[in-house]
Amino acid sequence: MTQKEITDNIRERLGIERLNSMQRAMQKQSSKHIVLLAPTGSGKTVGFALQLLRSVGKPCGKVQGVVIAPSRELVIQTSEVLRRIAVGLKVSALYGGHSVVEEKATLSVVPDIVVATPGRLLDHMQRGRIDVSTARALVLDEYDKSLELGFRDEMSSIVRRMRSLSLVVLTSATEPDELPDFVDLGGAATVDFRGDAAPAEARGDVRMLRVISGSPDKLDALASLLSALEGERVIVFVNYRDAAERVFNAMKKAGYPVGLYHGGLDQIDRDKAIVRFNNGTTPMLIATDLGSRGLDIDDVNAVVHYHMPPTAEAWTHRNGRTGRMGASGSVYVIESEKETVPEYVVTDADFALPASASAAPARSTTATLFVDAGKKDKISRGDIVGYLCQQGNLPAALIGKIDLRDRFAYVAVPRDCMKGLLKELDGKKLKGKKVRVSEAH
């Protein structure tokens, strides 16, 4: 693709009128080996897309570009961005938890660009479903996270089969201790926008506040803090899965509209948690560090450190969930007496908790409707709006965010309409197709 085609598509299809300084730096790079160091929320997907798509030509029946990412969520997010920019090119997403049958079908027509997790891509390669040896461009996205998750061997096996590379981009939030030995990055140009070097236009005004807990358990302090943050979108970070479950159950029992996200949940439950968080059904999310990056999460007003972040990188990634792309935000660190605070945890001021959190928390006014039909069933967002309006008698103005997937959809609707809506839709067809609808809990 030409540079003009790429930038025009970014403006028209992503709504980005002006590239930020990191993206402009990537756009100007002429090196064929690039290491991009950038924090969460800085727009790095568009940054590396500017290089990747320039190396991809017209569809030719061969794989031309490969992006390897460590998580399902990041693969989905990246593939959606690339699809919107790479007009006329086929982009396929391959990841664990996705239907292998559907992935085999999509690979029957060779994609121009593949975005994949290492394990799933290697599996397809070993089964002869895809050939990446023709790829001209390779992006190792969030390389540090891939190493942390133990994907070195898979990445090595994949990359060693790529014999036609003319562009290699490695992205990371931290400077790698060593560059991968399975790919040529000799003389790589480094585009460094970490910390103070991050694009000013990508950072908002973020307050760093300390919250004193009267007990080591911190649950009472968290409840008081969530009372003070009522109406805001909040992510509460904990260090362990069992702690996430315990904190979630305590806050849910207390009446707070909370969701749960950690690696021990089934993929569909993690996916649903993000949908319900984004559409306002559960605007307070209890999460492990799995939720600190690589997720398609909308504006977050506040980040809460229930546990101290175990590393400086965790501190950075957690905080990067708020104050993104110029928005303001707040970071709260709950500290108990005699607790050891790492030197990288720095706050600007203390936050005084409300005198009492005894008032009943406000219940979310939004609920999530599940519809078991999606893009693969030739269903569009407009079809769903028409279905809810015509068959469910729900005014269009009351329909919120619609998350349309391959075989199903999630729709945000007013909570007080849910019961009546389900009754109205019972037995009704969507574009002549019998569908199952239910509330997504």
Side-chain angles (χ1 to χ4, degrees), residues 98-106 120 124:
H98 192 208
S99 167
V100 174
V101 173
E102 290 187 6
E103 289 188 353
K104 285 172 62 178
T106 193
R120 181 54 68 92
H124 282 299

Side-chain angles (χ1 to χ4, degrees), residues 21 28 96 191 223 304 344 360 397 416 434:
S21 51
K28 294 175 183 176
V191 179
V304 177
Y344 49 79
D416 58 8
K434 291 183 66 176

Side-chain angles (χ1 to χ4, degrees), residues 380-436:
S380 68
R381 288 180 175 82
D383 294 329
I384 291 174
V385 171
Y387 174 63
L388 298 182
C389 294
Q390 296 165 20
Q391 305 289 353
N393 293 318
L394 184 68
L398 298 183
I399 300 173
K401 184 172 182 177
I402 299 175
D403 288 270
L404 185 64
R405 308 300 172 85
D406 286 348
R407 293 296 184 188
F408 58 87
Y410 295 111
V411 187
V413 299
R415 182 174 297 280
D416 58 8
C417 294
M418 178 62 78
K419 186 175 180 179
L421 181 61
L422 291 175
K423 185 176 180 180
E424 290 282 352
L425 294 175
D426 186 30
K428 303 287 180 64
K429 292 182 178 181
L430 170 57
K431 285 186 72 175
K433 171 184 170 61
K434 291 183 66 176
V435 293
R436 179 172 57 91

